[in-house]
């Protein structure tokens, strides 16, 4: 017997999602003349197994993989439930082609934003998740209960390898745990990858010995996938414990492949997110940072940049607290270490920790290397600002007998 599948078939306000449905919450703005219901059913249809034409299909041949728009709530929110069987196990590319694919450009909506997802066990099981997550603070570093501190040499590109390694040495000696490559520093002739990595990691070992605190390096391995794996192996062979990857620009499938290789090498993955704002900056269209963080977590990153709670230089979605990002009613990613970065300096540390807690990494480039007395003093100032905050002492008071912090506060002020 044949039957027709039409847009209306994808709306059922009585439907109760099953435990193994993948549920997506979207904000939509229906096109002129389109009701919320009509737009919602089109979203569910086009992101699962419907299309614009009513299809006559043989019921015996049809596996029902249709999604159901089952809730139309306040604030233009709709909820859509997708049967887990719609998805290929372990393929983030395939999942996103469904739930954040063609529907982003369909004429039935003037705008549409994927805000949050519930990822059922059956889908989660296809992915590795983080290998270390927040445990890097004590398992791979000696940060203990305080935030992990990282720094990215500036200028972000153009420094010679000599200058890069010198900055690393100064920053580690001053008290940061991690050196980090900038996103546009990979393997350029002025600072080639292998020389930079081997020399910096050798220096990290020296400084670990000298300071008695584990020093390591977030090495940017971002590249074409096979080359990226080769670079990760190079990091491992030279004693590094971390790699950094720009997850949006290099793509989720590449991140998944990297994660697989990192398992064997015990490498933690630091996720930088350049280009995320192309998806999440507009509050009415695209994909929220929350969903990007969920996707990154499933693919297996250990750290992810999540913004600065409004204290830094970059426009972020509202970040009132880490839970708002990494834990929603639908999904919990709090085993991933959130990284606050972008325009940070010692004067905002107390406000930052107040907003985000201590289970974070604080990454500062300009806020360390722009210190009037140089990188080592800048690193000391950042570390002192963390000590003050951990001891509940106001920054200005702590600065009275901590000269580097005093100079930083004078230069950049405090929150
Ligand atoms: C910060 C940074 C980071 C951004 C990423 C930069 O430098 O190195 O890439 O913070 O942003 O290149 O701007 P500064 P986000 O510390 O000198 O500002 O964490 O929001 O993805
Ligand atoms: Mg950067």
């Amino acid at each position: 017997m044949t039957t027709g599948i039409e847009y209306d078939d994808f709306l059922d306000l009585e439907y109760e999602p099953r435990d193994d449905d993948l549920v997506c919450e979207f904000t939509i703005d229906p096109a002129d003349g389109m009701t919320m219901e009509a737009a919602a059913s089109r979203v569910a249809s086009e992101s699962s197994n419907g299309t614009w034409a009513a299809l006559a299909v043989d019921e015996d041949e049809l596996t029902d993989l249709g999604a159901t728009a089952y809730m139309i709530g306040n604030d233009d929110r709709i909820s859509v439930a997708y049967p887990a069987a719609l998805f290929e196990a372990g393929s983030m590319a395939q999942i996103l082609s469904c739930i954040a694919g063609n529907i982003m450009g369909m004429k039935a909506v003037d705008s549409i934003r994927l805000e949050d997802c519930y990822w059922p066990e059956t889908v989660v099981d296809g992915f590795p998740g983080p290998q270390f997550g927040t445990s890097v603070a004590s398992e791979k570093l000696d940060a203990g209960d305080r935030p992990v501190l990282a720094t990215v040499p500036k200028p972000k590109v153009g420094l010679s390898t000599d200058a890069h390694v010198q900055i690393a040495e100064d920053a580690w000696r001053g008290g940061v745990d991690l050196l980090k490559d900038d996103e546009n520093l990979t393997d350029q002739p002025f600072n080639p990858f292998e020389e930079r990595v081997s020399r910096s990691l050798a220096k990290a070992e020296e400084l670990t010995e000298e300071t008695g605190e584990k020093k390591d390096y977030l090495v940017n391995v971002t590249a074409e996938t096979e080359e990226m794996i080769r670079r990760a192996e190079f990091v491992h062979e030279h004693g590094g414990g971390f790699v950094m990857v720009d997850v949006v620009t290099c793509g989720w499938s590449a991140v998944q492949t990297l994660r697989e290789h990192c398992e064997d090498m015990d490498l933690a993955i630091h996720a930088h997110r350049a280009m995320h704002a192309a998806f999440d900056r507009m509050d009415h269209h695209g994909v929220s940072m929350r969903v990007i963080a969920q996707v990154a977590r499933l693919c297996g990153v250990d750290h992810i940049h999540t913004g600065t709670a409004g204290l830094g230089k970059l426009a972020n979605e509202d970040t009132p607290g880490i839970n708002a990002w990494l834990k929603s009613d639908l999904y919990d990613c709090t085993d991933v270490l959130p990284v606050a970065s972008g325009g940070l300096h010692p004067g905002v540390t107390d406000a930052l920790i107040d907003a985000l807690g201590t289970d974070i990494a604080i990454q500062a480039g300009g806020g360390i290397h722009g210190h009037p007395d140089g990188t080592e003093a800048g690193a000391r100032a950042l570390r002192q600002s963390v000590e003050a905050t951990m001891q509940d002492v106001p920054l200005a008071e702590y600065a009275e007998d901590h000269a580097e912090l005093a100079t930083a506060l004078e230069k950049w002020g405090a929150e």
Side-chain angles (χ1 to χ4, degrees):
M1 194 192 133
T2 57
T3 180
I5 316 179
E6 305 181 6
Y7 279 145
D8 286 355
D9 296 326
F10 296 84
L11 180 78
D12 178 359
L13 298 178
E14 306 288 302
Y15 182 79
E16 293 210 356
R18 295 167 298 203
D19 283 352
D20 62 349
D21 285 349
L22 192 163
V23 172
C24 293
E25 282 187 10
F26 298 93
T27 304
I28 62 171
D29 181 12
D32 268 358
M34 180 88 49
T35 62
M36 278 299 276
E37 285 78 2
S41 61
R42 282 160 174 75
V43 168
S45 163
E46 293 281 352
S47 54
S48 58
N49 69 346
T51 189
W52 60 275
L55 301 175
V57 278
D58 184 337
E59 262 185 7
D60 297 334
E61 291 294 317
L62 180 69
T63 312
D64 186 10
L65 296 178
T68 308
Y70 67 93
M71 182 133 68
I72 297 181
N74 299 329
D75 304 330
D76 302 327
R77 283 275 177 134
I78 63 165
S79 300
V80 179
Y82 297 86
L86 190 59
F87 305 113
E88 178 187 337
S91 174
M92 190 51 77
Q94 189 268 344
I95 295 176
L96 291 177
S97 294
C98 301
I99 65 173
N102 293 353
I103 52 172
M104 291 289 149
M106 71 192 298
K107 286 182 179 168
V109 290
D110 283 345
S111 61
I112 173 167
R113 191 170 199 258
L114 176 55
E115 303 281 1
D116 201 356
C117 297
Y118 165 75
W119 302 88
E121 212 60 47
T122 35
V123 172
V124 171
D125 282 351
F127 293 95
Q131 190 180 177
F132 299 98
T134 50
S135 76
V136 291
S138 48
E139 272 189 31
K140 281 184 163 279
L141 299 167
D142 293 316
D145 292 338
R146 67 164 165 82
V148 170
L149 300 183
T151 191
V152 53
K154 300 282 173 173
K156 48 173 80 187
V157 283
L159 291 169
S160 66
T161 306
D162 281 352
H164 188 103
V165 176
Q166 184 61 55
I167 289 179
E169 175 175 351
D170 294 347
W172 279 319
R173 185 169 288 126
V176 305
D177 307 292
L178 291 165
L179 174 72
K180 176 186 153 318
D181 284 335
D182 221 314
E183 65 280 359
N184 44 8
L185 179 65
T186 53
D187 185 27
Q188 292 104 317
F190 56 83
N191 191 356
F193 181 86
E194 294 195 354
E195 195 190 338
R196 177 172 82 252
V197 173
S198 51
R199 287 181 53 197
S200 301
L201 285 172
K203 193 55 81 180
E205 213 178 307
E206 262 176 62
L207 269 289
T208 298
E209 194 117 312
E210 178 187 312
T211 61
E213 281 180 356
K214 177 67 184 157
K215 308 293 184 185
D216 214 323
Y217 179 14
L218 307 171
V219 182
N220 185 8
V221 295
T222 306
E224 175 283 322
T225 310
E226 280 183 25
E227 176 58 18
M228 181 158 69
I229 302 312
R230 203 190 64 74
R231 291 182 190 178
E233 284 164 358
F234 189 86
V235 172
H236 174 61
E237 282 156 17
H238 288 78
F242 296 80
V243 291
M244 158 183 156
V245 59
D246 238 318
V247 290
V248 178
T249 55
C250 92
W252 301 112
S253 302
V255 175
Q256 288 190 249
T257 306
L258 178 67
R259 169 66 177 85
E260 219 176 290
H261 285 76
C262 284
E263 179 94 33
D264 302 333
M265 297 186 279
D266 270 351
L267 289 172
I269 301 176
H270 177 96
H272 193 270
R273 57 173 184 165
M275 208 170 132
H276 74 96
F279 300 94
D280 66 24
R281 185 164 183 173
M282 287 186 291
D283 59 11
H284 61 288
H285 190 80
V287 178
S288 70
M289 183 57 212
R290 172 178 288 159
V291 172
I292 294 173
Q294 294 170 354
V295 166
R297 185 208 169 274
L298 288 166
C299 292
V301 309
D302 297 285
H303 313 168
I304 186 159
H305 287 235
T306 49
T308 56
L311 294 161
K313 70 180 181 187
L314 296 163
N316 297 126
E317 291 182 71
D318 268 351
T319 51
I322 283 303
N323 282 351
W325 283 110
L326 296 181
K327 186 173 182 181
S328 73
D329 293 343
L330 298 186
Y331 194 67
D332 187 343
C333 308
T334 45
D335 52 355
V336 175
L337 187 72
V339 181
S341 170
L344 298 178
H345 57 79
V348 299
T349 301
D350 51 351
L352 191 73
I353 292 180
D354 208 35
L356 304 181
T358 50
D359 222 359
I360 57 172
I362 301 176
Q363 198 291 130
I368 282 185
H369 314 297
H371 190 286
D373 299 319
T375 294
E376 189 179 331
R380 284 192 196 289
L382 185 66
R383 182 73 179 258
Q384 290 161 2
S385 70
V386 170
E387 283 161 11
T389 308
M390 296 297 287
Q391 293 166 30
D392 237 351
V393 177
L395 296 182
E397 192 183 320
Y398 206 73
E400 285 167 15
D401 48 7
H402 292 88
E404 295 88 352
L405 179 58
T407 304
L409 296 184
E410 216 166 282
K411 170 106 182 144
W412 291 305
E415 259 308 298

